[in-house]
């Protein structure tokens, strides 16, 4: 697959995710963390126009000068932008306009990649493609949140990615104490800057679960009064539970005395064997305390990840999102991509059912604030020493 084919394939995948939507679904923004699907379609297009076409294709003319203001996300060095909470107020540009924008930019990118592309721009192109794939995953989160908070609980599509949400056999695998190398090792074609530099870490003996915590296991926590017992919670987590009246994972509902869960296929009976998902770090840490265990650090997770199956859900770790030794921000706007967020967030490792194929890797560092849970997030527990 050449660069043009790869570019167009990834771009089409984004539109395929949106295909089951109705026009009204494209504009909704229920909470600040959810962006309307229309905005995702425009923002990913803006990235290629702003960072590749405008600076490097002399004859290129911007589709609409106002779109830099509308679709810039957080790049301070690129100019003013619509504040995040107002993305849902953008009834204009219309959905049709945004798809026209995508077609316009795709035609220009296709011509550029076929005729005049410069090899030195390849890292920037790869970043743009991976950026689009990140937004494909975010689209899945946001679409589910939009539909899952509609009082009618409409289904996204009967056949969807959640059919792959299965668990492995229970058990634990041991990791011996020692010094290990973590971080991107150059064995794959791409990494984000926050996966650099590769460095040594020391870990003590531990055992890590081969499976993710299941819905049934977490229901035991609920039935045991886990959301009412402050002893299991960090202080901030306990405040979050009380201030927001949290008593179950996101998308769980009790109807006629039975637990149901909203999924992309609609509202269905809770499957006790499925891995638990859509929980915050606060809930993950509280459940670990309830089980007299803990979450892994991100380095423990990476060292042990060869020993168990992963990739169904992002997995909370105990690690704060911090730079690796020797980390440096890239110059210019691209330097704003990851480094500016290295504060007050927790690292999640692995991948999820919404992660585009080929995008997952052992060194991938996802990061979110501890209270967030609209992403596909789960729990894997660690036991100190031996489980025997």
């Amino acid at each position: 697959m050449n660069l043009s084919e790869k570019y167009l394939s990834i771009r089409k995948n984004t539109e395929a995710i949106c295909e089951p939507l109705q026009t009204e679904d494209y504009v909704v923004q229920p909470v600040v963390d959810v962006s309307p699907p229309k905005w995702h379609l425009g923002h990913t297009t803006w990235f290629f126009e702003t960072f590749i076409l405008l600076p490097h294709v002399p004859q290129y003319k911007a589709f609409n000068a106002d779109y830099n203001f509308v679709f810039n996300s957080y790049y301070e060095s690129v100019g003013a932008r619509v504040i995040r909470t107002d993305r849902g107020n953008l009834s204009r540009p219309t959905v049709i306009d945004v798809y026209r924008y995508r077609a316009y930019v795709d035609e220009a990118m296709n011509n550029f990649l076929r005729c005049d592309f410069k090899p030195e721009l390849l890292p920037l192109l790869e970043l743009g493609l991976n950026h689009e794939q990140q937004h494909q995953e975010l689209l899945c989160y946001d679409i589910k949140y939009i539909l899952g908070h509609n009082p009618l609980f409409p289904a996204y599509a009967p056949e969807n990615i959640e059919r792959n949400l299965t668990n492995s056999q229970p058990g634990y695998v041991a990791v011996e104490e020692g010094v290990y190398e973590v971080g991107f090792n150059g064995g794959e074609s791409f990494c984000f800057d926050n996966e650099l530099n590769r460095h040594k870490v020391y870990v003590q003996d531990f055992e890590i679960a081969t499976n993710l915590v299941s819905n049934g296991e977490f229901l035991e926590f609920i039935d045991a009064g886990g959301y009412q017992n402050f002893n299991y919670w960090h202080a901030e987590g306990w405040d979050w539970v009380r201030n927001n009246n949290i008593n179950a994972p996101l998308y769980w509902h009790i109807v006629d005395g039975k637990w149901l869960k909203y999924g992309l296929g609609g509202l269905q009976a809770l499957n006790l064997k499925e891995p638990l998902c859509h929980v915050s770090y606060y809930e993950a840490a509280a459940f670990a305390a309830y089980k007299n265990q803990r979450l892994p650090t991100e380095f423990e997770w990476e060292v042990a990840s060869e020993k168990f199956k992963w990739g169904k859900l992002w997995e909370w770790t105990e690690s704060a999102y911090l730079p690796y030794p020797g980390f440096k921000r890239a110059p210019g706007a691209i330097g704003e991509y990851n480094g500016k967020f290295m504060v007050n967030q927790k690292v999640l490792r692995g991948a999820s059912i919404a992660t585009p194929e080929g995008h997952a890797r052992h060194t991938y560092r996802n990061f979110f604030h501890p209270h967030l849970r609209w992403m596909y997030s789960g729990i894997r527990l660690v036991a100190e020493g031996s489980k025997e």
Side-chain angles (χ1 to χ4, degrees), residues 143-206:
I143 289 170
K144 183 172 183 179
Y145 196 96
I146 289 167
L147 299 180
H149 285 77
N150 182 310
L152 299 178
F153 298 113
Y156 164 72
E159 293 294 319
N160 59 71
I161 56 175
E162 292 184 348
R163 68 183 184 277
N164 297 319
L165 194 55
T166 57
N167 223 336
S168 59
Q169 292 298 315
Y172 287 79
V173 293
V175 176
E176 295 183 355
E177 69 171 323
V179 177
Y180 297 86
E181 287 194 344
V182 297
F184 185 70
N185 61 7
E188 300 172 68
S189 60
F190 176 84
C191 77
F192 289 113
D193 58 359
N194 63 0
E195 299 170 54
L196 300 170
N197 289 308
R198 191 164 176 83
H199 61 287
K200 292 181 174 62
V201 297
Y202 171 78
V203 298
Q204 293 183 320
D205 289 333
F206 68 97

Side-chain angles (χ1 to χ4, degrees), residues 294-308:
R294 64 175 177 83
L295 303 178
T297 68
E298 66 165 314
F299 303 134
E300 288 173 334
W301 189 97
E302 186 172 328
V303 169
S305 61
E306 299 285 354
K307 297 176 177 286
F308 55 79

